[in-house]
Amino acid sequence: MSEPLFPRVALLGIGLIGSSIAINLRDRGLAGEIAISTRSQATLARAEEIGLGTSYHTDAGEAVRGADLVILCVPVGACGPLAAQIAGDLAEGAIVTDVGSVKGSVVADMAPHLPPHVHFVPGHPIAGTEQSGPDAGFLELFENRWTILTPVPGTAEDATARLTALWEAMGARVETMTPEHHDLVLAIVSHVPHLIAYNIVGTAADLETVTQSEVIKFSASGFRDFTRIAASDPTMWRDIFLTNREAVLEMLSRFSEDLASLQRAIRWGDGDALFDLFTRTRAIRRSIVEAGQDTAEANFGRQPPRKDAWNEPGE
Amino acid sequence: MSEPLFPRVALLGIGLIGSSIAINLRDRGLAGEIAISTRSQATLARAEEIGLGTSYHTDAGEAVRGADLVILCVPVGACGPLAAQIAGDLAEGAIVTDVGSVKGSVVADMAPHLPPHVHFVPGHPIAGTEQSGPDAGFLELFENRWTILTPVPGTAEDATARLTALWEAMGARVETMTPEHHDLVLAIVSHVPHLIAYNIVGTAADLETVTQSEVIKFSASGFRDFTRIAASDPTMWRDIFLTNREAVLEMLSRFSEDLASLQRAIRWGDGDALFDLFTRTRAIRRSIVEAGQDTAEANFGRQPPRKDAWNEPGE
């Protein structure tokens, strides 16, 4: 095994992303020590049980002491307070990064607390599943996925380069952009799609003309795809919408405008308008598959459900 | 092989559903003859190439002659005219059914043309993929999926029972309800989800602040799920929205109302309202997985994309 990229990495927070990073550091020999810290005793114990790190700390400050890389893997709302908490323990020249889905607010919340002797390189791996917790992580999560780094003005190029090397070693492809642009991009490719998925599932649950049992039984016709997204971690997503408010509201108003015009096309029987849009959207799916960002298999290559899973949903 | 359920089945239209039915009839020995008819010469030739039937007809009337089961597998907008076209060739006591995603309009369009000596049992298999055409069909499509039958007043129970037996033999579970209720259920579990998927993909494509290349590269964060749905057959879906207009507009207005209140919660920073909804929706996902209507695997059990698929999307 060659020299690890980082002698000591501190992972603060050990959910889906944190545990996937830990598994990559461990199995690919990218770090000497892996110091793990998280608030919940139970979660920390579980991380130790499944051997995600080399040391486990309830005190985040203790975990970051002597670390040359510190990665915050907590909901974006928790980044500011956590930065304040660890500021005094950060080593000279340490690289501090995060994996938050919003960058503008994270930069605003964290930067003021960080001492001048560390390098702050905010980051966001565009990867995930609807599952969460230390058991959700896996080695391939970042494989062929993009990680966006949003270095702030004055960031040492060497720090960005070392962090880029780490993400690439974990299988990811790296792009850098400003925090503001990142937040606009994510609002449309992730935040608004999650919001409308949560919303349609809520709308369906509240109907009195259609039973919830019917919604569940007949979900295979499209609805079930939305429920997967709407099963994502509630705390993480609450924070995302609260912290990327401006960009989300902007994209949401465009979405609603477009939906209103589709609604009008349906009301007035304008089949051509519908057909044109439905043809245009098909091309975008093709591009995503060609770019290797999704499988070409029908239904995502879902396996036919097992008979033993049959189970009549209750009324 | 035991006696087939139907000596001669006519399949009018041979897309995803038609070809999947053909494969089931053939491989499970459910029909003596399988007469296939479709308007397009090329499609009919392809169906013959891959051996979906026992006879192939450009004239639908010829295909239905002597058939004791006739299944219309065409977009809902084409059902009325096709019923008129075959009416004179339908055999005494034949069962006539369809697979359309809308039932009220199909009943209204077809019933007037059908002679009194046939049994009309409208149907809808809640199954599909984003793919279409005679090559898209497969044996397991209906496995553990629900098929809804909407017999009209006066339908002979025996006819409904024979059709139920056929769907069950193809692996499906069968439920009957009125056409009106079917259309309400499908509006919320299928039609509105497809409409908002088409809509968000269109909104993303039209942005000037975010490039289409960025939308494609970073789609893995949620957007790509929507593009799969938005890649469904444009003709079929245009017809669905035009023919299930009332139910779709009703569900759409509820969706928009709910979305407006979410938008307000974001604007005013009401994190609790967001958290409550996001927790509620998670439970519905669980029920769908428990009901065997979707896989419990993360990301639908998608396989990590192949490296050889890597391909930089063009600006």
Side-chain angles (χ1 to χ4, degrees), chain A residues 139-153:
Chain A
L139 185 70
E140 303 79 8
L141 181 61
F142 310 115
E143 199 61 50
N144 192 29
R145 295 278 161 258
W146 291 85
T147 289
I148 298 176
L149 299 181
T150 63
V152 292

PDB file of all heavy atoms in Angstrom, chain A residues 139-153:
ATOM      1  N   LEU A 139     -18.923   1.427  -0.607  1.00  0.00           N
ATOM      2  CA  LEU A 139     -17.698   1.839  -1.304  1.00  0.00           C
ATOM      3  C   LEU A 139     -17.963   2.547  -2.619  1.00  0.00           C
ATOM      4  O   LEU A 139     -17.274   3.499  -2.980  1.00  0.00           O
ATOM      5  CB  LEU A 139     -16.820   0.597  -1.546  1.00  0.00           C
ATOM      6  CG  LEU A 139     -15.434   0.827  -2.162  1.00  0.00           C
ATOM      7  CD1 LEU A 139     -14.515   1.520  -1.165  1.00  0.00           C
ATOM      8  CD2 LEU A 139     -14.815  -0.490  -2.625  1.00  0.00           C
ATOM      9  N   GLU A 140     -18.982   2.107  -3.366  1.00  0.00           N
ATOM     10  CA  GLU A 140     -19.176   2.603  -4.736  1.00  0.00           C
ATOM     11  C   GLU A 140     -20.030   3.867  -4.818  1.00  0.00           C
ATOM     12  O   GLU A 140     -20.311   4.351  -5.909  1.00  0.00           O
ATOM     13  CB  GLU A 140     -19.824   1.526  -5.613  1.00  0.00           C
ATOM     14  CG  GLU A 140     -19.066   0.213  -5.696  1.00  0.00           C
ATOM     15  CD  GLU A 140     -19.288  -0.667  -4.474  1.00  0.00           C
ATOM     16  OE1 GLU A 140     -20.152  -0.329  -3.624  1.00  0.00           O
ATOM     17  OE2 GLU A 140     -18.584  -1.689  -4.348  1.00  0.00           O
ATOM     18  N   LEU A 141     -20.437   4.422  -3.676  1.00  0.00           N
ATOM     19  CA  LEU A 141     -21.381   5.544  -3.715  1.00  0.00           C
ATOM     20  C   LEU A 141     -20.907   6.681  -4.615  1.00  0.00           C
ATOM     21  O   LEU A 141     -21.704   7.295  -5.325  1.00  0.00           O
ATOM     22  CB  LEU A 141     -21.644   6.086  -2.307  1.00  0.00           C
ATOM     23  CG  LEU A 141     -22.638   7.256  -2.235  1.00  0.00           C
ATOM     24  CD1 LEU A 141     -24.014   6.870  -2.763  1.00  0.00           C
ATOM     25  CD2 LEU A 141     -22.770   7.774  -0.804  1.00  0.00           C
ATOM     26  N   PHE A 142     -19.614   6.966  -4.622  1.00  0.00           N
ATOM     27  CA  PHE A 142     -19.111   8.133  -5.372  1.00  0.00           C
ATOM     28  C   PHE A 142     -18.610   7.781  -6.773  1.00  0.00           C
ATOM     29  O   PHE A 142     -18.210   8.663  -7.535  1.00  0.00           O
ATOM     30  CB  PHE A 142     -17.997   8.807  -4.571  1.00  0.00           C
ATOM     31  CG  PHE A 142     -18.373   9.082  -3.141  1.00  0.00           C
ATOM     32  CD1 PHE A 142     -17.725   8.440  -2.100  1.00  0.00           C
ATOM     33  CD2 PHE A 142     -19.417   9.953  -2.843  1.00  0.00           C
ATOM     34  CE1 PHE A 142     -18.100   8.686  -0.778  1.00  0.00           C
ATOM     35  CE2 PHE A 142     -19.792  10.203  -1.530  1.00  0.00           C
ATOM     36  CZ  PHE A 142     -19.127   9.563  -0.495  1.00  0.00           C
ATOM     37  N   GLU A 143     -18.651   6.493  -7.089  1.00  0.00           N
ATOM     38  CA  GLU A 143     -18.154   5.995  -8.375  1.00  0.00           C
ATOM     39  C   GLU A 143     -18.838   6.689  -9.553  1.00  0.00           C
ATOM     40  O   GLU A 143     -20.050   6.649  -9.682  1.00  0.00           O
ATOM     41  CB  GLU A 143     -18.424   4.481  -8.435  1.00  0.00           C
ATOM     42  CG  GLU A 143     -17.610   3.706  -9.451  1.00  0.00           C
ATOM     43  CD  GLU A 143     -16.109   3.805  -9.172  1.00  0.00           C
ATOM     44  OE1 GLU A 143     -15.704   3.552  -8.000  1.00  0.00           O
ATOM     45  OE2 GLU A 143     -15.380   4.152 -10.110  1.00  0.00           O
ATOM     46  N   ASN A 144     -18.042   7.369 -10.371  1.00  0.00           N
ATOM     47  CA  ASN A 144     -18.553   8.048 -11.574  1.00  0.00           C
ATOM     48  C   ASN A 144     -19.543   9.170 -11.265  1.00  0.00           C
ATOM     49  O   ASN A 144     -20.280   9.614 -12.139  1.00  0.00           O
ATOM     50  CB  ASN A 144     -19.195   7.028 -12.528  1.00  0.00           C
ATOM     51  CG  ASN A 144     -19.478   7.629 -13.904  1.00  0.00           C
ATOM     52  OD1 ASN A 144     -18.791   8.542 -14.354  1.00  0.00           O
ATOM     53  ND2 ASN A 144     -20.519   7.156 -14.555  1.00  0.00           N
ATOM     54  N   ARG A 145     -19.577   9.617  -9.990  1.00  0.00           N
ATOM     55  CA  ARG A 145     -20.433  10.747  -9.605  1.00  0.00           C
ATOM     56  C   ARG A 145     -19.579  12.002  -9.535  1.00  0.00           C
ATOM     57  O   ARG A 145     -18.376  11.923  -9.353  1.00  0.00           O
ATOM     58  CB  ARG A 145     -21.073  10.474  -8.234  1.00  0.00           C
ATOM     59  CG  ARG A 145     -22.014   9.305  -8.253  1.00  0.00           C
ATOM     60  CD  ARG A 145     -23.367   9.716  -8.766  1.00  0.00           C
ATOM     61  NE  ARG A 145     -24.107   8.552  -9.207  1.00  0.00           N
ATOM     62  CZ  ARG A 145     -24.253   8.214 -10.485  1.00  0.00           C
ATOM     63  NH1 ARG A 145     -23.700   8.926 -11.434  1.00  0.00           N
ATOM     64  NH2 ARG A 145     -24.944   7.153 -10.824  1.00  0.00           N
ATOM     65  N   TRP A 146     -20.218  13.136  -9.646  1.00  0.00           N
ATOM     66  CA  TRP A 146     -19.490  14.402  -9.577  1.00  0.00           C
ATOM     67  C   TRP A 146     -19.441  14.938  -8.155  1.00  0.00           C
ATOM     68  O   TRP A 146     -20.415  14.825  -7.412  1.00  0.00           O
ATOM     69  CB  TRP A 146     -20.150  15.429 -10.482  1.00  0.00           C
ATOM     70  CG  TRP A 146     -19.975  15.106 -11.928  1.00  0.00           C
ATOM     71  CD1 TRP A 146     -20.761  14.275 -12.687  1.00  0.00           C
ATOM     72  CD2 TRP A 146     -18.940  15.570 -12.796  1.00  0.00           C
ATOM     73  NE1 TRP A 146     -20.267  14.201 -13.960  1.00  0.00           N
ATOM     74  CE2 TRP A 146     -19.155  14.981 -14.068  1.00  0.00           C
ATOM     75  CE3 TRP A 146     -17.841  16.419 -12.623  1.00  0.00           C
ATOM     76  CZ2 TRP A 146     -18.324  15.225 -15.159  1.00  0.00           C
ATOM     77  CZ3 TRP A 146     -17.016  16.673 -13.714  1.00  0.00           C
ATOM     78  CH2 TRP A 146     -17.267  16.065 -14.966  1.00  0.00           C
ATOM     79  N   THR A 147     -18.286  15.455  -7.768  1.00  0.00           N
ATOM     80  CA  THR A 147     -18.179  16.198  -6.520  1.00  0.00           C
ATOM     81  C   THR A 147     -17.855  17.636  -6.887  1.00  0.00           C
ATOM     82  O   THR A 147     -16.947  17.886  -7.694  1.00  0.00           O
ATOM     83  CB  THR A 147     -17.075  15.617  -5.609  1.00  0.00           C
ATOM     84  OG1 THR A 147     -17.514  14.354  -5.111  1.00  0.00           O
ATOM     85  CG2 THR A 147     -16.803  16.548  -4.419  1.00  0.00           C
ATOM     86  N   ILE A 148     -18.608  18.575  -6.348  1.00  0.00           N
ATOM     87  CA  ILE A 148     -18.378  19.986  -6.626  1.00  0.00           C
ATOM     88  C   ILE A 148     -17.632  20.607  -5.451  1.00  0.00           C
ATOM     89  O   ILE A 148     -18.033  20.455  -4.301  1.00  0.00           O
ATOM     90  CB  ILE A 148     -19.710  20.726  -6.853  1.00  0.00           C
ATOM     91  CG1 ILE A 148     -20.435  20.150  -8.075  1.00  0.00           C
ATOM     92  CG2 ILE A 148     -19.455  22.223  -7.024  1.00  0.00           C
ATOM     93  CD1 ILE A 148     -21.799  20.752  -8.331  1.00  0.00           C
ATOM     94  N   LEU A 149     -16.499  21.267  -5.758  1.00  0.00           N
ATOM     95  CA  LEU A 149     -15.769  22.024  -4.739  1.00  0.00           C
ATOM     96  C   LEU A 149     -15.999  23.507  -5.010  1.00  0.00           C
ATOM     97  O   LEU A 149     -16.024  23.931  -6.167  1.00  0.00           O
ATOM     98  CB  LEU A 149     -14.275  21.692  -4.787  1.00  0.00           C
ATOM     99  CG  LEU A 149     -13.891  20.225  -4.521  1.00  0.00           C
ATOM    100  CD1 LEU A 149     -12.379  20.041  -4.584  1.00  0.00           C
ATOM    101  CD2 LEU A 149     -14.449  19.739  -3.191  1.00  0.00           C
ATOM    102  N   THR A 150     -16.225  24.262  -3.937  1.00  0.00           N
ATOM    103  CA  THR A 150     -16.470  25.704  -4.110  1.00  0.00           C
ATOM    104  C   THR A 150     -15.462  26.498  -3.299  1.00  0.00           C
ATOM    105  O   THR A 150     -15.820  27.125  -2.298  1.00  0.00           O
ATOM    106  CB  THR A 150     -17.901  26.067  -3.664  1.00  0.00           C
ATOM    107  OG1 THR A 150     -18.030  25.795  -2.258  1.00  0.00           O
ATOM    108  CG2 THR A 150     -18.947  25.265  -4.415  1.00  0.00           C
ATOM    109  N   PRO A 151     -14.168  26.470  -3.702  1.00  0.00           N
ATOM    110  CA  PRO A 151     -13.145  27.204  -2.947  1.00  0.00           C
ATOM    111  C   PRO A 151     -13.499  28.679  -2.861  1.00  0.00           C
ATOM    112  O   PRO A 151     -14.006  29.257  -3.831  1.00  0.00           O
ATOM    113  CB  PRO A 151     -11.864  26.980  -3.746  1.00  0.00           C
ATOM    114  CG  PRO A 151     -12.256  26.396  -5.055  1.00  0.00           C
ATOM    115  CD  PRO A 151     -13.626  25.823  -4.911  1.00  0.00           C
ATOM    116  N   VAL A 152     -13.291  29.264  -1.686  1.00  0.00           N
ATOM    117  CA  VAL A 152     -13.591  30.700  -1.509  1.00  0.00           C
ATOM    118  C   VAL A 152     -12.369  31.504  -1.936  1.00  0.00           C
ATOM    119  O   VAL A 152     -11.253  30.984  -1.962  1.00  0.00           O
ATOM    120  CB  VAL A 152     -13.969  30.989  -0.038  1.00  0.00           C
ATOM    121  CG1 VAL A 152     -15.299  30.334   0.286  1.00  0.00           C
ATOM    122  CG2 VAL A 152     -12.891  30.478   0.908  1.00  0.00           C
ATOM    123  N   PRO A 153     -12.561  32.796  -2.274  1.00  0.00           N
ATOM    124  CA  PRO A 153     -11.418  33.604  -2.699  1.00  0.00           C
ATOM    125  C   PRO A 153     -10.274  33.486  -1.686  1.00  0.00           C
ATOM    126  O   PRO A 153     -10.508  33.512  -0.471  1.00  0.00           O
ATOM    127  CB  PRO A 153     -11.989  35.025  -2.718  1.00  0.00           C
ATOM    128  CG  PRO A 153     -13.448  34.840  -2.962  1.00  0.00           C
ATOM    129  CD  PRO A 153     -13.814  33.558  -2.264  1.00  0.00           C
TER     130      PRO A 153
END
